[in-house]
Amino acid sequence: MRCSDLGLAEARAPTLQPLTESELRLLHQRHDALRRLCRPELEMIAGEARDTGSVAILTDSEGMILDTIGDAGFASRAAELALRPGVSWKEASTGTNAIGTALAERRAIAVNGSEHFFSDHRVLSCAATPITDPRGALIGALDLTGSSSRGHGHALGLIRLAVDQIEHRLFRRHFEDCRLLRYHSDPAMLGTSREGILVFREDRLVAGNRRGLSLAGLSWDALDEVLFETILAVEESRRDGLLLRLSSGAYAVGHWDADHALPRGGDLGLDARPVGEGTAATLEEREVEAIAAALAAADGNISKAARHLGIHRSTIHRYRKQGLI
């Protein structure tokens, strides 16, 4: 339905023009931090991809392919379908596909064979998970794609695990004047990529990972809105950590990290980095225009506009305070 609303037609294959070599170099420069962050997991998935005739793919938050690694034979066939660096696989460009649909729905998803919108893509079997920063903004997607003629039932679980590890590593970057709580209902999960993480400035929740929010029964909309005391209560301080009672009545074990010190606001430096003189102002102007358009389409509903754009609503509030919107 989304593809039809975008004016796409199943029988009319999309014309996809990849970026030029110079444009691709600039794209890689802008996303250098994201590419370095995801490299270990991309290489790990690439090993699996070579064994299963597949390719591992990293994209930016707009579905633009940054890197593909894996089976050389399949990579060559995939490139014929424009599944290669410098091509956008968001839904508006390539219809229903794992990368574009995962970004549109902000969740892990597999798209197999005939589930693709365009017939040319139905030879593919794909699984993708969006990568989300600690403030709830989309920063990219990780994908494993192979031939639909082979079974890839393991792909979605593998991609989810890899993205958990990537997002967990984001919390090595810190937040000024904040306390970071690591917790889980199962103490064995502490210290792993499956632990829940919540970040508080004073007593207000300002960041977290998906698991941390899920354990507390919260969504990204809770950021900047809820206080520690409405989420958790410290029942007991023990040698192995804190015994925590959640608002649901369930119990968890956790511990506080030390105070952190990087720029206020949790800017992790993973957004597309401007390249060249004068680019920054242009990017800001474009972001303001996009936000203004999204707000108009959402009848002023900030949460709805933020979800549509894949950003946190605090970004919209910031521009409003600056008088830019």
Side-chain angles (χ1 to χ4, degrees):
M1 290 175 65
R2 281 198 302 266
C3 293
S4 297
D5 289 344
L6 288 167
L8 303 180
E10 293 182 51
R12 195 168 59 242
T15 302
L16 302 172
Q17 293 296 329
L19 299 179
T20 65
E21 288 188 13
S22 60
E23 289 171 334
L24 183 58
R25 281 196 299 271
L26 290 176
L27 180 73
H28 282 165
Q29 289 177 36
R30 287 197 299 273
H31 293 289
D32 180 62
L34 176 64
R35 295 176 72 214
R36 284 187 285 108
L37 173 74
C38 299
R39 195 67 188 186
E41 284 69 31
L42 193 63
E43 292 283 1
M44 180 270 291
I45 296 171
E48 175 71 17
R50 294 185 187 99
D51 293 337
T52 57
S54 310
V55 290
I57 299 170
L58 174 68
T59 81
D60 67 10
S61 61
E62 293 296 315
M64 182 70 75
I65 295 178
L66 301 174
D67 295 295
T68 61
I69 313 177
D71 179 75
F74 183 77
S76 177
R77 294 194 296 275
E80 294 174 3
L81 297 173
L83 196 65
R84 57 184 171 128
V87 178
S88 172
W89 275 69
K90 63 182 179 181
E91 283 187 336
S93 303
T94 47
T96 305
N97 70 90
I99 292 168
T101 305
L103 288 169
E105 300 198 359
R106 297 177 62 93
R107 65 182 179 92
I109 196 163
V111 177
N112 299 309
S114 61
E115 294 172 344
H116 288 83
F117 186 80
F118 289 111
S119 57
D120 286 353
H121 299 156
R122 292 171 186 170
V123 298
L124 302 174
S125 177
C126 315
T129 297
I131 305 168
T132 307
D133 79 4
R135 294 281 293 168
L138 294 175
I139 58 175
L142 202 59
D143 172 271
L144 183 60
T145 290
S147 170
S148 61
S149 63
R150 299 183 62 167
H152 299 279
H154 66 289
L156 192 58
L158 182 64
I159 291 293
R160 279 173 166 161
L161 177 60
V163 170
D164 278 349
Q165 293 170 339
I166 291 168
E167 293 179 347
H168 187 260
R169 204 158 55 247
L170 281 169
F171 288 88
R172 293 179 184 175
R173 300 164 182 259
H174 301 287
F175 299 81
E176 183 184 12
D177 303 327
C178 291
R179 293 188 300 166
L180 188 150
L181 177 69
R182 300 179 184 273
Y183 78 112
H184 202 282
S185 55
D186 181 355
M189 294 295 103
L190 292 177
T192 75
S193 61
R194 297 183 66 81
E195 69 183 355
I197 300 176
L198 298 176
V199 181
F200 297 88
R201 176 167 292 119
E202 296 178 349
D203 286 329
R204 189 171 298 278
L205 180 66
V206 295
N209 67 356
R210 282 183 274 200
R211 194 164 302 278
L213 293 169
S214 177
L215 285 169
L218 301 173
S219 69
W220 296 111
D221 288 342
L223 299 187
D224 304 324
E225 299 293 331
V226 302
L227 302 176
F228 177 86
E229 62 194 29
T230 66
I231 307 170
L232 298 158
V234 178
E235 292 283 294
E236 184 183 349
S237 181
R238 309 186 307 196
R239 182 175 300 178
D240 61 345
L242 303 171
L243 178 63
L244 305 166
R245 181 169 52 82
L246 283 68
S247 58
S248 64
Y251 284 87
V253 174
H255 64 86
W256 293 105
D257 271 7
D259 285 352
H260 306 294
L262 270 191
R264 181 176 293 276
D267 179 7
L268 301 177
L270 289 168
D271 292 330
R273 187 162 48 84
V275 176
E277 187 177 353
T279 306
T282 302
L283 289 174
E284 183 178 69
E285 289 168 1
R286 288 178 180 174
E287 189 170 34
V288 168
E289 289 177 3
I291 290 173
L295 282 171
D299 295 324
N301 187 312
I302 291 177
S303 294
K304 185 176 179 181
R307 284 193 297 270
H308 173 75
L309 293 170
I311 62 176
H312 192 262
R313 64 177 184 276
S314 61
T315 302
I316 300 177
H317 286 304
R318 185 177 73 248
Y319 279 126
R320 279 194 160 180
K321 286 180 181 178
Q322 294 172 355
L324 297 176
I325 298 175

